[in-house]
mmCIF file of all heavy atoms in Angstrom:
data_model
loop_
_atom_site.group_PDB
_atom_site.id
_atom_site.type_symbol
_atom_site.label_atom_id
_atom_site.label_comp_id
_atom_site.label_asym_id
_atom_site.label_seq_id
_atom_site.Cartn_x
_atom_site.Cartn_y
_atom_site.Cartn_z
ATOM 1 N N PRO A 37 125.805 136.942 107.061
ATOM 2 C CA PRO A 37 126.046 136.092 105.905
ATOM 3 C C PRO A 37 124.884 135.160 105.550
ATOM 4 O O PRO A 37 124.837 134.636 104.450
ATOM 5 C CB PRO A 37 127.277 135.282 106.316
ATOM 6 C CG PRO A 37 127.205 135.221 107.805
ATOM 7 C CD PRO A 37 126.589 136.528 108.224
ATOM 8 N N CYS A 38 123.950 134.967 106.457
ATOM 9 C CA CYS A 38 122.867 133.998 106.216
ATOM 10 C C CYS A 38 121.902 134.429 105.121
ATOM 11 O O CYS A 38 121.553 133.642 104.260
ATOM 12 C CB CYS A 38 122.091 133.743 107.499
ATOM 13 S SG CYS A 38 123.075 132.947 108.769
ATOM 14 N N HIS A 39 121.432 135.679 105.177
ATOM 15 C CA HIS A 39 120.426 136.145 104.226
ATOM 16 C C HIS A 39 120.755 137.525 103.681
ATOM 17 O O HIS A 39 119.863 138.285 103.322
ATOM 18 C CB HIS A 39 119.037 136.139 104.865
ATOM 19 C CG HIS A 39 118.614 134.793 105.302
ATOM 20 N ND1 HIS A 39 118.635 134.409 106.625
ATOM 21 C CD2 HIS A 39 118.210 133.706 104.600
ATOM 22 C CE1 HIS A 39 118.225 133.150 106.715
ATOM 23 N NE2 HIS A 39 117.977 132.701 105.508
ATOM 24 N N LYS A 40 122.035 137.862 103.660
ATOM 25 C CA LYS A 40 122.504 139.134 103.105
ATOM 26 C C LYS A 40 121.853 140.347 103.770
ATOM 27 O O LYS A 40 121.358 141.254 103.119
ATOM 28 C CB LYS A 40 122.287 139.192 101.589
ATOM 29 C CG LYS A 40 122.974 138.090 100.831
ATOM 30 C CD LYS A 40 124.473 138.233 100.890
ATOM 31 C CE LYS A 40 125.124 137.179 100.022
ATOM 32 N NZ LYS A 40 126.357 136.691 100.549
ATOM 33 N N GLY A 41 121.895 140.361 105.083
ATOM 34 C CA GLY A 41 121.445 141.524 105.830
ATOM 35 C C GLY A 41 122.633 142.428 106.115
ATOM 36 O O GLY A 41 123.747 141.952 106.327
ATOM 37 N N PHE A 42 122.399 143.736 106.095
ATOM 38 C CA PHE A 42 123.465 144.705 106.328
ATOM 39 C C PHE A 42 123.026 145.738 107.355
ATOM 40 O O PHE A 42 121.871 146.165 107.361
ATOM 41 C CB PHE A 42 123.838 145.419 105.019
ATOM 42 C CG PHE A 42 124.440 144.511 104.000
ATOM 43 C CD1 PHE A 42 123.630 143.774 103.141
ATOM 44 C CD2 PHE A 42 125.814 144.371 103.899
ATOM 45 C CE1 PHE A 42 124.176 142.925 102.198
ATOM 46 C CE2 PHE A 42 126.370 143.519 102.953
ATOM 47 C CZ PHE A 42 125.553 142.795 102.104
ATOM 48 N N PHE A 43 123.979 146.136 108.190
ATOM 49 C CA PHE A 43 123.755 147.133 109.224
ATOM 50 C C PHE A 43 124.876 148.162 109.111
ATOM 51 O O PHE A 43 126.000 147.826 108.717
ATOM 52 C CB PHE A 43 123.832 146.492 110.618
ATOM 53 C CG PHE A 43 122.827 145.397 110.845
ATOM 54 C CD1 PHE A 43 123.110 144.097 110.458
ATOM 55 C CD2 PHE A 43 121.613 145.658 111.456
ATOM 56 C CE1 PHE A 43 122.202 143.075 110.679
ATOM 57 C CE2 PHE A 43 120.697 144.641 111.687
ATOM 58 C CZ PHE A 43 120.985 143.349 111.297
ATOM 59 N N ASP A 44 124.586 149.409 109.488
ATOM 60 C CA ASP A 44 125.674 150.388 109.518
ATOM 61 C C ASP A 44 126.523 150.155 110.762
ATOM 62 O O ASP A 44 126.228 149.271 111.574
ATOM 63 C CB ASP A 44 125.153 151.819 109.402
ATOM 64 C CG ASP A 44 124.418 152.346 110.626
ATOM 65 O OD1 ASP A 44 124.465 151.724 111.722
ATOM 66 O OD2 ASP A 44 123.784 153.406 110.506
ATOM 67 N N ILE A 45 127.547 150.945 110.926
ATOM 68 C CA ILE A 45 128.503 150.739 112.017
ATOM 69 C C ILE A 45 127.874 150.928 113.400
ATOM 70 O O ILE A 45 128.390 150.446 114.395
ATOM 71 C CB ILE A 45 129.727 151.655 111.818
ATOM 72 C CG1 ILE A 45 130.901 151.154 112.619
ATOM 73 C CG2 ILE A 45 129.393 153.093 112.113
ATOM 74 C CD1 ILE A 45 132.221 151.762 112.231
ATOM 75 N N TYR A 46 126.719 151.595 113.451
ATOM 76 C CA TYR A 46 126.013 151.786 114.729
ATOM 77 C C TYR A 46 124.883 150.784 114.934
ATOM 78 O O TYR A 46 124.126 150.887 115.874
ATOM 79 C CB TYR A 46 125.496 153.223 114.831
ATOM 80 C CG TYR A 46 126.630 154.219 114.813
ATOM 81 C CD1 TYR A 46 126.925 154.928 113.661
ATOM 82 C CD2 TYR A 46 127.441 154.400 115.931
ATOM 83 C CE1 TYR A 46 127.995 155.812 113.630
ATOM 84 C CE2 TYR A 46 128.505 155.291 115.901
ATOM 85 C CZ TYR A 46 128.776 155.988 114.754
ATOM 86 O OH TYR A 46 129.841 156.859 114.725
ATOM 87 N N GLY A 47 124.763 149.809 114.021
ATOM 88 C CA GLY A 47 123.786 148.739 114.175
ATOM 89 C C GLY A 47 122.449 148.969 113.506
ATOM 90 O O GLY A 47 121.562 148.128 113.588
ATOM 91 N N LYS A 48 122.275 150.096 112.811
ATOM 92 C CA LYS A 48 121.003 150.370 112.128
ATOM 93 C C LYS A 48 120.893 149.466 110.901
ATOM 94 O O LYS A 48 121.821 149.381 110.096
ATOM 95 C CB LYS A 48 120.929 151.832 111.709
ATOM 96 C CG LYS A 48 119.646 152.179 111.004
ATOM 97 C CD LYS A 48 119.604 153.630 110.573
ATOM 98 C CE LYS A 48 118.318 153.874 109.815
ATOM 99 N NZ LYS A 48 118.369 155.107 109.047
ATOM 100 N N ASN A 49 119.745 148.793 110.758
ATOM 101 C CA ASN A 49 119.523 147.932 109.604
ATOM 102 C C ASN A 49 119.374 148.807 108.353
ATOM 103 O O ASN A 49 118.567 149.725 108.329
ATOM 104 C CB ASN A 49 118.324 147.010 109.809
ATOM 105 C CG ASN A 49 117.104 147.710 110.370
ATOM 106 O OD1 ASN A 49 117.220 148.658 111.147
ATOM 107 N ND2 ASN A 49 115.930 147.262 109.990
ATOM 108 N N ILE A 50 120.190 148.519 107.321
ATOM 109 C CA ILE A 50 120.200 149.373 106.136
ATOM 110 C C ILE A 50 119.843 148.637 104.839
ATOM 111 O O ILE A 50 119.405 149.271 103.892
ATOM 112 C CB ILE A 50 121.551 150.103 105.972
ATOM 113 C CG1 ILE A 50 122.708 149.129 105.980
ATOM 114 C CG2 ILE A 50 121.715 151.172 107.026
ATOM 115 C CD1 ILE A 50 124.072 149.750 105.703
ATOM 116 N N LYS A 51 120.052 147.325 104.783
ATOM 117 C CA LYS A 51 119.705 146.552 103.581
ATOM 118 C C LYS A 51 119.351 145.131 103.991
ATOM 119 O O LYS A 51 119.862 144.622 104.972
ATOM 120 C CB LYS A 51 120.890 146.483 102.610
ATOM 121 C CG LYS A 51 121.283 147.772 101.958
ATOM 122 C CD LYS A 51 122.367 147.548 100.922
ATOM 123 C CE LYS A 51 123.708 147.727 101.580
ATOM 124 N NZ LYS A 51 124.846 147.691 100.673
ATOM 125 N N GLY A 52 118.499 144.508 103.188
ATOM 126 C CA GLY A 52 118.190 143.105 103.413
ATOM 127 C C GLY A 52 117.018 142.892 104.353
ATOM 128 O O GLY A 52 116.304 143.829 104.702
ATOM 129 N N PRO A 53 116.849 141.659 104.805
ATOM 130 C CA PRO A 53 115.663 141.308 105.577
ATOM 131 C C PRO A 53 115.641 141.659 107.069
ATOM 132 O O PRO A 53 114.577 141.601 107.666
ATOM 133 C CB PRO A 53 115.573 139.788 105.397
ATOM 134 C CG PRO A 53 116.963 139.351 105.154
ATOM 135 C CD PRO A 53 117.622 140.483 104.419
ATOM 136 N N PRO A 54 116.764 142.027 107.733
ATOM 137 C CA PRO A 54 116.656 142.278 109.173
ATOM 138 C C PRO A 54 115.605 143.353 109.488
ATOM 139 O O PRO A 54 115.664 144.458 108.952
ATOM 140 C CB PRO A 54 118.055 142.742 109.578
ATOM 141 C CG PRO A 54 118.956 142.111 108.573
ATOM 142 C CD PRO A 54 118.165 142.131 107.295
ATOM 143 N N PRO A 55 114.635 143.038 110.365
ATOM 144 C CA PRO A 55 113.543 143.972 110.638
ATOM 145 C C PRO A 55 113.875 145.073 111.651
ATOM 146 O O PRO A 55 113.174 146.077 111.716
ATOM 147 C CB PRO A 55 112.442 143.069 111.198
ATOM 148 C CG PRO A 55 113.195 141.951 111.856
ATOM 149 C CD PRO A 55 114.421 141.743 111.010
ATOM 150 N N LYS A 56 114.936 144.874 112.448
ATOM 151 C CA LYS A 56 115.261 145.833 113.503
ATOM 152 C C LYS A 56 116.764 146.048 113.559
ATOM 153 O O LYS A 56 117.531 145.216 113.092
ATOM 154 C CB LYS A 56 114.815 145.298 114.872
ATOM 155 C CG LYS A 56 113.347 145.040 115.017
ATOM 156 C CD LYS A 56 112.978 144.646 116.439
ATOM 157 C CE LYS A 56 113.683 143.378 116.871
ATOM 158 N NZ LYS A 56 113.231 142.839 118.147
ATOM 159 N N PRO A 57 117.176 147.151 114.189
ATOM 160 C CA PRO A 57 118.613 147.368 114.401
ATOM 161 C C PRO A 57 119.181 146.357 115.387
ATOM 162 O O PRO A 57 118.439 145.708 116.131
ATOM 163 C CB PRO A 57 118.673 148.775 115.008
ATOM 164 C CG PRO A 57 117.336 149.370 114.848
ATOM 165 C CD PRO A 57 116.364 148.255 114.663
ATOM 166 N N LEU A 58 120.496 146.268 115.409
ATOM 167 C CA LEU A 58 121.173 145.437 116.400
ATOM 168 C C LEU A 58 121.121 146.150 117.752
ATOM 169 O O LEU A 58 121.172 147.379 117.817
ATOM 170 C CB LEU A 58 122.634 145.219 116.005
ATOM 171 C CG LEU A 58 122.885 144.462 114.707
ATOM 172 C CD1 LEU A 58 124.362 144.528 114.336
ATOM 173 C CD2 LEU A 58 122.423 143.021 114.837
ATOM 174 N N LYS A 59 121.039 145.379 118.799
ATOM 175 C CA LYS A 59 121.054 145.937 120.150
ATOM 176 C C LYS A 59 122.424 146.551 120.410
ATOM 177 O O LYS A 59 123.450 145.954 120.097
ATOM 178 C CB LYS A 59 120.771 144.824 121.152
ATOM 179 C CG LYS A 59 120.787 145.266 122.578
ATOM 180 C CD LYS A 59 120.497 144.092 123.484
ATOM 181 C CE LYS A 59 120.708 144.481 124.916
ATOM 182 N NZ LYS A 59 120.507 143.356 125.806
ATOM 183 N N SER A 60 122.435 147.748 120.980
ATOM 184 C CA SER A 60 123.709 148.399 121.267
ATOM 185 C C SER A 60 124.001 148.401 122.764
ATOM 186 O O SER A 60 123.088 148.320 123.594
ATOM 187 C CB SER A 60 123.720 149.825 120.724
ATOM 188 O OG SER A 60 122.748 150.606 121.366
ATOM 189 N N TYR A 61 125.273 148.481 123.079
ATOM 190 C CA TYR A 61 125.756 148.496 124.459
ATOM 191 C C TYR A 61 126.558 149.769 124.699
ATOM 192 O O TYR A 61 127.130 150.329 123.770
ATOM 193 C CB TYR A 61 126.635 147.270 124.734
ATOM 194 C CG TYR A 61 125.904 145.965 124.624
ATOM 195 C CD1 TYR A 61 125.880 145.262 123.428
ATOM 196 C CD2 TYR A 61 125.231 145.435 125.711
ATOM 197 C CE1 TYR A 61 125.196 144.057 123.322
ATOM 198 C CE2 TYR A 61 124.550 144.232 125.616
ATOM 199 C CZ TYR A 61 124.533 143.553 124.422
ATOM 200 O OH TYR A 61 123.860 142.371 124.314
ATOM 201 N N GLU A 62 126.632 150.172 125.930
ATOM 202 C CA GLU A 62 127.447 151.311 126.311
ATOM 203 C C GLU A 62 128.878 150.836 126.528
ATOM 204 O O GLU A 62 129.099 149.774 127.107
ATOM 205 C CB GLU A 62 126.895 151.915 127.605
ATOM 206 C CG GLU A 62 127.563 153.195 128.015
ATOM 207 C CD GLU A 62 126.895 153.819 129.222
ATOM 208 O OE1 GLU A 62 125.657 153.826 129.303
ATOM 209 O OE2 GLU A 62 127.639 154.293 130.092
ATOM 210 N N VAL A 63 129.841 151.615 126.064
ATOM 211 C CA VAL A 63 131.262 151.275 126.232
ATOM 212 C C VAL A 63 131.943 152.409 126.980
ATOM 213 O O VAL A 63 131.832 153.564 126.587
ATOM 214 C CB VAL A 63 131.964 151.076 124.873
ATOM 215 C CG1 VAL A 63 133.416 150.672 125.077
ATOM 216 C CG2 VAL A 63 131.237 150.055 124.019
ATOM 217 N N LYS A 64 132.628 152.059 128.059
ATOM 218 C CA LYS A 64 133.393 153.043 128.832
ATOM 219 C C LYS A 64 134.819 152.549 128.968
ATOM 220 O O LYS A 64 135.049 151.386 129.294
ATOM 221 C CB LYS A 64 132.832 153.183 130.252
ATOM 222 C CG LYS A 64 131.636 154.028 130.394
ATOM 223 C CD LYS A 64 131.364 154.217 131.885
ATOM 224 C CE LYS A 64 129.971 154.712 132.127
ATOM 225 N NZ LYS A 64 129.671 154.775 133.555
ATOM 226 N N GLU A 65 135.766 153.457 128.737
ATOM 227 C CA GLU A 65 137.165 153.135 129.014
ATOM 228 C C GLU A 65 137.387 153.367 130.502
ATOM 229 O O GLU A 65 137.044 154.415 131.033
ATOM 230 C CB GLU A 65 138.098 154.003 128.187
ATOM 231 C CG GLU A 65 138.076 153.624 126.717
ATOM 232 C CD GLU A 65 139.174 154.274 125.916
ATOM 233 O OE1 GLU A 65 140.365 154.089 126.267
ATOM 234 O OE2 GLU A 65 138.841 154.962 124.944
ATOM 235 N N VAL A 66 137.907 152.363 131.167
ATOM 236 C CA VAL A 66 138.237 152.454 132.587
ATOM 237 C C VAL A 66 139.741 152.209 132.718
ATOM 238 O O VAL A 66 140.361 151.707 131.779
ATOM 239 C CB VAL A 66 137.405 151.455 133.435
ATOM 240 C CG1 VAL A 66 135.927 151.836 133.419
ATOM 241 C CG2 VAL A 66 137.564 150.035 132.961
ATOM 242 N N PRO A 67 140.346 152.564 133.852
ATOM 243 C CA PRO A 67 141.805 152.454 133.974
ATOM 244 C C PRO A 67 142.389 151.089 133.597
ATOM 245 O O PRO A 67 143.460 151.022 133.024
ATOM 246 C CB PRO A 67 142.060 152.767 135.444
ATOM 247 C CG PRO A 67 140.924 153.640 135.841
ATOM 248 C CD PRO A 67 139.746 153.140 135.057
ATOM 249 N N ASP A 68 141.675 150.025 133.865
ATOM 250 C CA ASP A 68 142.243 148.704 133.586
ATOM 251 C C ASP A 68 141.450 147.925 132.540
ATOM 252 O O ASP A 68 141.398 146.706 132.573
ATOM 253 C CB ASP A 68 142.372 147.901 134.877
ATOM 254 C CG ASP A 68 141.068 147.818 135.647
ATOM 255 O OD1 ASP A 68 140.131 148.593 135.330
ATOM 256 O OD2 ASP A 68 140.961 146.985 136.558
ATOM 257 N N GLY A 69 140.834 148.618 131.582
ATOM 258 C CA GLY A 69 140.137 147.925 130.520
ATOM 259 C C GLY A 69 138.965 148.690 129.938
ATOM 260 O O GLY A 69 138.886 149.914 130.012
ATOM 261 N N LEU A 70 138.049 147.928 129.364
ATOM 262 C CA LEU A 70 136.804 148.470 128.822
ATOM 263 C C LEU A 70 135.646 147.867 129.595
ATOM 264 O O LEU A 70 135.635 146.670 129.866
ATOM 265 C CB LEU A 70 136.621 148.098 127.346
ATOM 266 C CG LEU A 70 137.445 148.808 126.303
ATOM 267 C CD1 LEU A 70 137.076 148.301 124.913
ATOM 268 C CD2 LEU A 70 137.277 150.302 126.365
ATOM 269 N N LEU A 71 134.663 148.682 129.906
ATOM 270 C CA LEU A 71 133.458 148.214 130.576
ATOM 271 C C LEU A 71 132.319 148.311 129.573
ATOM 272 O O LEU A 71 131.992 149.397 129.082
ATOM 273 C CB LEU A 71 133.174 149.075 131.797
ATOM 274 C CG LEU A 71 132.110 148.559 132.746
ATOM 275 C CD1 LEU A 71 132.493 147.207 133.338
ATOM 276 C CD2 LEU A 71 131.901 149.575 133.877
ATOM 277 N N ILE A 72 131.739 147.161 129.225
ATOM 278 C CA ILE A 72 130.627 147.079 128.282
ATOM 279 C C ILE A 72 129.381 146.803 129.109
ATOM 280 O O ILE A 72 129.344 145.834 129.862
ATOM 281 C CB ILE A 72 130.810 145.925 127.262
ATOM 282 C CG1 ILE A 72 132.243 145.862 126.719
ATOM 283 C CG2 ILE A 72 129.774 146.010 126.168
ATOM 284 C CD1 ILE A 72 132.707 147.007 125.924
ATOM 285 N N SER A 73 128.347 147.650 128.963
ATOM 286 C CA SER A 73 127.155 147.449 129.778
ATOM 287 C C SER A 73 125.889 147.681 128.974
ATOM 288 O O SER A 73 125.890 148.354 127.945
ATOM 289 C CB SER A 73 127.182 148.358 131.014
ATOM 290 O OG SER A 73 127.288 149.705 130.634
ATOM 291 N N ARG A 74 124.814 147.093 129.487
ATOM 292 C CA ARG A 74 123.502 147.301 128.874
ATOM 293 C C ARG A 74 123.149 148.765 128.993
ATOM 294 O O ARG A 74 123.466 149.407 129.970
ATOM 295 C CB ARG A 74 122.430 146.510 129.629
ATOM 296 C CG ARG A 74 122.565 145.028 129.508
ATOM 297 C CD ARG A 74 121.447 144.384 130.338
ATOM 298 N NE ARG A 74 121.696 142.986 130.486
ATOM 299 C CZ ARG A 74 121.224 142.069 129.640
ATOM 300 N NH1 ARG A 74 120.471 142.428 128.646
ATOM 301 N NH2 ARG A 74 121.496 140.790 129.820
ATOM 302 N N LYS A 75 122.480 149.289 127.975
ATOM 303 C CA LYS A 75 122.023 150.668 128.044
ATOM 304 C C LYS A 75 120.772 150.720 128.912
ATOM 305 O O LYS A 75 119.972 149.781 128.913
ATOM 306 C CB LYS A 75 121.717 151.199 126.659
ATOM 307 C CG LYS A 75 122.968 151.436 125.844
ATOM 308 C CD LYS A 75 122.647 152.163 124.585
ATOM 309 C CE LYS A 75 123.934 152.559 123.894
ATOM 310 N NZ LYS A 75 123.688 153.446 122.777
ATOM 311 N N ALA A 76 120.589 151.821 129.615
ATOM 312 C CA ALA A 76 119.394 151.997 130.426
ATOM 313 C C ALA A 76 118.174 152.107 129.527
ATOM 314 O O ALA A 76 118.280 152.523 128.381
ATOM 315 C CB ALA A 76 119.532 153.262 131.294
ATOM 316 N N GLN A 77 117.022 151.721 130.047
ATOM 317 C CA GLN A 77 115.774 151.830 129.284
ATOM 318 C C GLN A 77 115.600 153.259 128.800
ATOM 319 O O GLN A 77 115.873 154.203 129.502
ATOM 320 C CB GLN A 77 114.575 151.438 130.164
ATOM 321 C CG GLN A 77 114.538 149.976 130.542
ATOM 322 C CD GLN A 77 114.273 149.072 129.367
ATOM 323 O OE1 GLN A 77 113.724 149.473 128.365
ATOM 324 N NE2 GLN A 77 114.680 147.819 129.483
ATOM 325 N N GLY A 78 115.150 153.415 127.568
ATOM 326 C CA GLY A 78 114.909 154.715 127.011
ATOM 327 C C GLY A 78 116.107 155.310 126.284
ATOM 328 O O GLY A 78 116.003 156.345 125.678
ATOM 329 N N LYS A 79 117.258 154.669 126.345
ATOM 330 C CA LYS A 79 118.436 155.176 125.620
ATOM 331 C C LYS A 79 118.474 154.605 124.240
ATOM 332 O O LYS A 79 118.063 153.551 123.968
ATOM 333 C CB LYS A 79 119.721 154.808 126.355
ATOM 334 C CG LYS A 79 119.994 155.728 127.506
ATOM 335 C CD LYS A 79 121.412 155.485 127.993
ATOM 336 C CE LYS A 79 121.775 156.457 129.076
ATOM 337 N NZ LYS A 79 123.125 156.276 129.550
#
């Protein structure tokens, strides 16, 4: 909302001033919840 930047649902910058995509995380469903983790280098 600050400067009308837009990203697609996967975090890719598509309109406005943002110079890079949003950082993404890995999501795994586990028996008792969701595990959100940093992606390994190179992913």
Side-chain angles (χ1 to χ4, degrees):
C38 295
H39 299 103
K40 302 292 185 215
F42 295 85
F43 300 86
D44 71 12
I45 199 165
Y46 298 102
K48 180 181 177 197
N49 46 327
I50 54 175
K51 292 186 268 187
K56 299 186 299 188
L58 297 171
K59 179 180 172 183
S60 63
Y61 296 93
E62 187 174 319
V63 182
K64 280 189 197 175
E65 289 191 57
V66 293
D68 54 346
L70 285 181
L71 191 61
I72 316 296
S73 58
R74 293 179 192 269
K75 288 189 172 189
Q77 292 292 337
K79 280 192 175 181

